[in-house]
């Protein structure tokens, strides 16, 4: 039997608690809303002697990622958190952390650039930087995923940095009951960090240059690592379930009532809870609808979507996302998913729903509307256009915010 | 000065630097003095060509050398390594300009970092563009000699004074024509920063650069000596608040001698030379007064 405590925690506090349980050795951070409570909490743990770690109160996010890269090169477990403009400011060194294959875990309560509230403008900018990106739904999943994150990122088949992504304010600041594992159970799941290669080790006297191999080869190795990560994410999810009894689909995606569904929505992070509720309402009315939650955006689980499509033969899929690629009029997930399914003979009609930008609410009626649209597409075989919420039905007031 | 002995070479020739580049001496003497138990961080700069080393060497992004070094220092501590020297060798661009924020942060946090700025007074690695350390009126590729504007129009900032304002244990300048003085300062930094953990040490060395300054490589040491003897590059130290002018010529040589040896100052008028000399002498006077006071 595992020992657990139950507490009422926000997503931020749940992550800070996981970082303590993971026995992280060096943390650097710079404040930004809605991330700050994560590192405030960690500072308290250290100040109270509950956690034995170095905390670098750094002077900005660009430096923060450089410091994490430096500490990671010494072969110790490391963590940071940032979001929005902070994540974008760190871009140059995010890229370096991935190039050096440093298994940094970074918590990102997603926020838009031009507001303090949730959307994926920030992390989508980093979709090509080689970070694993796991979107989580709730404070519980945030805690569980943070613990799994160290296992995944530090696995010698992977060695890629990882972002734990959760909706700013919606998940970062909203309390929920969270099961807190005991230190000894976590120690069983997450043993001390065994670095693959310690780049900075003064006890060694061999000649080590940090120089990187040829770029094309290096890029292929990163791609292989990301492919490996799919298996490793699944394994971590299963082993976590064995010890703690909680499982998030197969680790990459999670399905809800997809059997016999003619249409389904793909959702991410906190909107998934609302979508489950809507599926239940529609199923009660006899509609054959289902739901697929995307947990791993990077690596993108194309094979899992293909398998689902081959198994269930959805007539239409709708992708709901809090981001848009300007100039394409669709979101990143929609583009990736459409590309993944393109080669199938029996491919579904697809609609993109851009919603929740700048933290605007994602309501039951919004997702009901989305289901109605995919059902129509399933039946008529016709897709009109992408749908931006806040125009058709969402309440959108265009204001100039001065943050 | 006899206490300075390089026990073992940790730097290996050859280097990728230009002929007659003082930077090679700056990095070699620092690292050989500090020895094996060191890790060196070099941001994008000519320093990247300083040659092979038998110690761990991390490249870092141009703006964040001191931040990367902070991470290394803390990471080494967390990994149980005691008394490892964490050394940054950065250019003036990476120190005065884009790297200033990271350096200031690390200094304020009291990180155990020995920070060496090799000041060649321009962005040399990208083709001799001006930096915050470029002297007034100097030619660079972004302060060209045009028909309307000739050379840099403003005075350089004083980075050592900025570092003094951080209340760190050691701020010093040095010159490659006096290696014993430079090595002594490196040893001092090792004691204050690495061994006693009193915070960041900052040492700035004039990096005479034949390529960017436009002079003949064999004059490297003569150039550095003249820079000091004319008061253009004062050599001093501030150790835990105590000031000392280390090289004190009785009278300063005419600045013109130093300026005329370099292509970057060739266009200067006599008035400009005179004004620059006034600037140099006023600073020298202030330093003499500080030396008298001892703080
Ligand atoms: C963010 C960023 N901007 C610009 C550059 C290009 N860059 C590389 S080295 C360099 C100049 C370095 O000058 P300095 O620090 O004075 O060292 P030096 O080469 O003169 O020794 C520049 C501008 C870069 N690498 N990164
Ligand atoms: S350009 Fe100047 S500083 Fe750079 S390597 Fe050549 S001589 Fe040295």
């Amino acid at each position: 039997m595992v020992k657990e405590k139950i507490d009422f925690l926000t997503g931020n506090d749940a992550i800070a608690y996981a970082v303590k349980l993971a026995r992280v050795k060096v943390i650097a951070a710079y404040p930004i809303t809605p991330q700050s409570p994560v590192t405030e909490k960690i500072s308290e743990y250290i100040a109270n002697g509950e956690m034995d770690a170095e905390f670098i109160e750094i002077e900005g996010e660009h430096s923060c990622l450089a410091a994490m890269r430096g500490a990671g090169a010494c072969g110790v477990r490391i963590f940071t958190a940032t979001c929005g403009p902070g994540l974008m400011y760190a871009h140059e060194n995010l890229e370096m952390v991935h190039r050096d294959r440093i298994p940094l875990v970074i918590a990102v309560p997603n926020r838009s650039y031009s507001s303090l509230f949730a959307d994926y403008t920030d992390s989508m900018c980093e979709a090509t930087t080689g970070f694993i990106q796991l979107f989580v739904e709730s404070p519980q999943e945030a805690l569980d995923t943070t613990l799994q994150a160290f296992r995944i990122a530090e696995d010698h088949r992977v060695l890629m940095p990882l972002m734990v992504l959760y909706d700013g304010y919606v998940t970062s600041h909203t309390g929920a009951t969270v099961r807190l594992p005991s230190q000894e159970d976590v120690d069983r799941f997450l043993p001390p960090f065994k670095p693959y290669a310690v780049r900075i080790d003064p006890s060694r006297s061999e000649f080590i240059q940090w120089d990187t191999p040829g770029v094309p080869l290096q890029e292929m190795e990163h791609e292989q690592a990301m492919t490996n990560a799919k298996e490793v994410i699944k394994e971590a999810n299963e082993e976590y379930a064995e010890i703690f009894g909680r499982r998030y689909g197969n680790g990459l995606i999670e399905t809800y009532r997809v059997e016999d569904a003619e249409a389904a929505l793909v959702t991410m992070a906190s909107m998934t809870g609302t979508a489950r509720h809507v599926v239940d309402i529609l199923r009660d009315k006899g509609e054959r609808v289902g739901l697929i939650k995307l947990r791993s955006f990077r690596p993108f689980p194309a094979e899992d979507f293909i398998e689902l499509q081959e198994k269930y033969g959805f007539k239409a899929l709708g992708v709901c996302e809090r981001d848009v690629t300007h100039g394409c009029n669709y979101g990143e997930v929609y583009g990736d998913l459409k590309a993944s399914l393109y080669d199938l003979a029996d491919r579904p009609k697809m609609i993109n729903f851009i919603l929740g930008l700048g933290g605007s609410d994602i309501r039951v009626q919004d997702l009901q509307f989305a289901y109605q649209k995919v059902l129509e597409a399933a039946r008529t075989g016709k897709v009109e256009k992408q749908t931006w919420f806040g125009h058709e039905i969402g309440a959108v007031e265009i204001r100039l915010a001065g943050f | 000065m006899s206490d300075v002995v390089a026990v073992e070479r940790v730097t290996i020739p050859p280097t990728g630097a230009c002929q007659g580049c003082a930077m090679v001496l700056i990095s070699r003497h620092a690292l050989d003095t500090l020895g094996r138990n060191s890790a060196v961080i070099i941001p994008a700069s000519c320093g990247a060509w300083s040659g092979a080393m038998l110690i761990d060497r991390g490249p870092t992004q141009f703006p964040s050398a001191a931040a990367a070094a902070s991470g290394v220092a803390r990471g080494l501590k967390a990994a149980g390594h005691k008394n490892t020297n964490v050394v940054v060798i950065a250019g003036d661009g990476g120190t005065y300009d884009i790297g200033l924020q990271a350096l200031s942060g690390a200094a304020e946090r009291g990180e155990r970092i020995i920070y060496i700025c090799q000041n060649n007074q321009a962005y040399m690695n990208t083709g001799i563009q001006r930096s915050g350390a470029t002297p007034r009126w100097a030619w660079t590729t972004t302060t060209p000699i045009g028909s309307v504007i000739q050379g840099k129009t403003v005075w350089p900032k004083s980075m050592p004074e900025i570092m003094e304002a951080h209340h760190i244990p050691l701020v010093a300048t040095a010159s490659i024509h006096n290696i014993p003085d430079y090595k002594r300062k490196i040893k001092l930094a090792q004691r204050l920063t690495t061994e006693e953990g009193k915070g960041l040490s900052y040492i700035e060395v004039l990096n005479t650069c034949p390529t960017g300054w436009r002079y003949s490589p064999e004059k490297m040491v003569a150039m550095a000596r003249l820079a000091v003897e004319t008061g253009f590059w004062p050599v001093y130290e501030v150790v835990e608040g105590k000031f000392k002018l280390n090289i004190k010529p009785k009278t300063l040589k005419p600045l013109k001698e130093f300026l005329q040896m370099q292509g970057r100052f060739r266009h200067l008028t006599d008035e400009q030379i005179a004004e620059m000399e006034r600037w140099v002498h006023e600073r020298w006077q202030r330093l003499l007064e500080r030396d008298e006071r001892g703080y």
Side-chain angles (χ1 to χ4, degrees):
Chain A
M1 265 304 285
V2 287
K3 280 190 251 148
E4 285 187 329
K5 276 193 306 190
I6 295 182
D7 206 344
F8 192 72
L9 292 185
T10 63
N12 279 341
D13 283 349
I15 288 184
Y17 199 81
V19 169
K20 179 166 87 121
L21 288 172
R23 300 183 187 277
V24 172
K25 283 282 165 266
V26 184
I27 298 115
Y30 190 77
I32 188 167
T33 306
Q35 161 270 2
S36 311
V38 179
T39 37
E40 287 166 5
K41 188 52 108 189
I42 292 171
S43 321
E44 279 174 33
Y45 290 142
I46 295 173
N48 294 330
E50 290 172 65
M51 197 177 164
D52 176 23
E54 290 291 315
F55 191 103
I56 310 178
E57 311 102 325
I58 203 110
E59 77 292 335
E61 291 88 350
H62 188 279
S63 285
C64 178
L65 269 290
M68 289 282 81
R69 181 172 172 234
C74 300
V76 291
R77 185 167 286 158
I78 51 176
F79 172 84
T80 188
T82 187
C83 60
L87 192 70
M88 295 164 176
Y89 180 39
H91 174 83
E92 188 188 23
N93 279 317
L94 283 171
E95 190 68 69
M96 294 315 294
V97 164
H98 129 244
R99 266 160 219 289
D100 279 355
R101 306 286 295 271
I102 288 176
L104 169 68
V105 173
I106 168 167
V108 180
N110 283 104
R111 71 167 262 198
S112 93
Y113 189 80
S114 40
S115 92
L116 295 173
F117 305 103
D119 75 28
Y120 310 144
T121 308
D122 51 3
S123 59
M124 287 298 169
C125 288
E126 308 303 337
T128 57
T129 43
F131 271 66
I132 296 168
Q133 296 196 353
L134 301 181
F135 279 89
V136 306
E137 189 182 334
S138 63
Q140 181 72 65
E141 190 177 356
L143 180 141
D144 296 338
T145 304
T146 304
L147 291 174
Q148 293 170 21
F150 291 103
R151 275 274 301 257
I152 299 162
E154 293 168 4
D155 190 293
H156 291 185
R157 291 165 290 173
V158 178
L159 291 172
M160 281 298 209
L162 187 153
M163 290 179 195
V164 178
L165 303 154
Y166 51 117
D167 290 353
Y169 281 112
V170 184
T171 312
S172 67
H173 281 63
T174 309
T177 38
V178 179
R179 296 183 159 279
L180 305 175
S182 70
Q183 184 69 62
E184 51 184 302
D185 290 329
V186 169
D187 288 345
R188 271 201 293 149
F189 174 75
L190 185 66
F193 176 34
K194 277 202 202 64
Y196 173 76
V198 180
R199 287 198 174 78
I200 296 193
D201 178 3
S203 60
R204 175 193 56 201
S205 55
E206 53 191 307
F207 172 65
I208 298 277
Q209 274 284 34
W210 264 18
D211 290 349
T212 43
V215 172
L217 173 68
Q218 195 193 25
E219 297 293 349
M220 277 170 65
E221 285 174 353
H222 296 337
E223 194 50 33
Q224 187 56 52
M226 288 300 257
T227 306
N228 297 349
K230 294 182 187 180
E231 258 340 286
V232 177
I233 293 167
K234 287 181 179 176
E235 283 172 25
N237 183 56
E238 281 316 308
E239 284 171 41
Y240 198 84
E242 269 167 38
I243 298 180
F244 301 101
R246 283 186 296 279
R247 174 185 277 105
Y248 299 96
N250 70 359
L252 303 171
I253 56 169
E254 190 182 327
T255 55
Y256 185 66
R257 302 185 82 168
V258 285
E259 302 76 14
D260 82 1
E262 48 180 335
L265 286 186
V266 177
T267 59
M268 296 151 85
S270 71
M271 70 174 96
T272 309
T274 315
R276 270 198 207 91
H277 177 64
V278 173
V279 169
D280 290 343
I281 295 173
L282 295 175
R283 282 275 176 181
D284 285 350
K285 291 187 182 157
E287 302 287 11
R288 286 158 52 203
V289 291
L291 172 67
I292 306 162
K293 166 170 123 178
L294 178 65
R295 187 169 183 254
S296 171
F297 170 61
R298 288 288 180 269
F300 193 77
E303 300 81 2
D304 300 78
F305 278 109
I306 290 170
E307 202 178 293
L308 278 184
Q309 180 62 25
E310 285 176 341
K311 193 159 167 199
Y312 300 115
F314 306 116
K315 293 273 176 297
L317 286 179
V319 177
C320 301
E321 52 185 319
R322 296 187 107 129
D323 61 274
V324 63
T325 297
H326 287 302
C328 292
N329 195 25
Y330 58 71
E332 292 287 325
V333 179
Y334 175 79
D336 289 352
L337 186 55
K338 206 163 181 178
S340 304
L341 300 181
Y342 179 79
D343 288 331
L344 293 181
D346 174 30
R347 54 177 188 247
K349 294 288 167 199
M350 286 183 64
I351 312 179
N352 197 192
F353 300 99
I354 311 284
L355 72 180
L357 294 185
S360 54
D361 285 344
I362 298 176
R363 305 168 307 170
V364 168
Q365 56 263 48
D366 298 338
L367 295 182
Q368 264 174 335
F369 176 86
Y371 270 112
Q372 187 189 321
K373 285 277 174 190
V374 273
L375 279 169
E376 271 169 37
R379 282 161 200 166
T380 63
K382 284 199 193 107
V383 175
E384 296 156 30
K385 62 179 172 79
Q386 317 308 345
T387 302
W388 282 61
F389 276 79
H391 288 265
E392 281 82 357
I393 59 163
V396 141
E397 263 178 66
I398 297 179
R399 281 172 294 145
L400 289 174
F403 297 113
Chain B
M1 278 168 211
S2 57
D3 60 337
V4 179
V5 185
V7 184
E8 183 190 20
R9 291 283 306 264
V10 300
T11 54
I12 313 168
T15 86
C18 311
Q19 260 191 11
C21 176
M23 183 241 331
V24 181
L25 298 182
I26 294 168
S27 52
R28 192 220 299 165
H29 288 295
L31 299 174
D32 288 348
T33 304
L34 292 170
R36 272 279 163 89
N37 192 13
S38 307
V40 57
I41 310 293
I42 301 182
S45 62
C46 281
W49 311 119
S50 51
M53 294 163 193
L54 287 168
I55 53 178
D56 287 337
R57 168 177 171 180
T60 173
Q61 298 322 92
F62 195 30
S64 45
S70 302
V72 169
R74 303 293 193 98
L76 286 173
K77 187 173 171 215
H81 295 291
K82 297 205 172 66
N83 288 342
T84 298
N85 306 295
V86 178
V87 194
V88 172
I89 302 177
D92 50 292
T95 302
Y96 282 58
D97 301 330
I98 200 169
L100 178 57
Q101 173 181 304
L103 174 56
S104 175
E108 187 258 338
R109 286 192 304 274
E111 303 286 357
R112 290 188 184 207
I113 299 170
I114 300 172
Y115 192 103
I116 299 167
C117 170
Q118 49 95 351
N119 181 357
N120 51 25
Q121 305 193 319
Y123 292 92
M124 296 306 176
N125 192 45
T126 37
I128 326 174
Q129 296 88 8
R130 69 85 94 178
S131 83
T134 302
R136 189 164 183 192
W137 293 304
W139 162 89
T140 69
T141 54
T142 50
T143 54
I145 310 308
S147 56
V148 181
I149 305 169
Q150 289 97 39
K152 195 189 181 201
T153 55
V154 290
W155 297 108
K157 49 177 140 167
S158 172
M159 194 61 203
E161 284 178 90
I162 294 172
M163 291 315 289
E164 267 195 66
H166 287 77
H167 312 293
I168 52 179
L170 174 67
V171 175
T173 61
S175 165
I176 50 107
H177 84 281
N178 190 336
I179 294 292
D181 174 73
Y182 175 47
K183 282 183 158 187
R184 182 181 57 78
K185 285 166 179 166
I186 295 284
K187 275 276 178 202
L188 197 55
Q190 182 176 32
R191 174 164 71 73
L192 294 168
T193 291
T194 309
E195 286 163 19
E196 296 174 12
K198 286 182 170 161
L200 186 146
S201 282
Y202 178 84
I203 301 175
E204 184 166 330
V205 195
L206 184 67
N207 177 4
T208 48
C209 164
T211 310
W213 296 9
R214 299 296 196 235
Y215 71 91
S216 181
E218 76 279 1
K219 300 213 179 82
M220 170 177 77
V221 178
M223 188 63 82
R225 186 188 307 277
L226 205 50
V228 175
E229 288 174 349
T230 55
F232 179 83
W233 186 255
V235 175
Y236 62 89
E237 66 191 32
V238 189
V239 185
E240 300 190 86
K242 288 203 180 62
F243 184 92
K244 192 163 190 253
L245 198 50
N246 302 115
I247 305 180
K248 241 189 313 186
K250 287 232 160 46
T251 49
L252 297 179
K253 286 190 175 163
L255 188 63
K256 199 169 184 171
E257 259 184 61
F258 174 71
L259 300 179
Q260 276 179 344
M261 274 169 80
Q262 303 166 51
R264 63 177 174 158
F265 293 122
R266 193 158 295 148
H267 58 286
L268 263 60
T269 61
D270 284 345
E271 289 77 53
Q272 286 170 334
I273 292 174
E275 193 172 340
M276 193 145 150
E277 190 152 47
R278 246 195 324 276
W279 188 79
V280 161
H281 283 192
E282 274 169 22
R283 181 177 61 186
W284 183 252
Q285 202 51 43
R286 281 200 306 278
L287 294 176
L288 282 176
E289 284 162 19
R290 287 192 72 181
D291 190 51
E292 189 82 7
R293 280 202 311 270
Y295 59 87

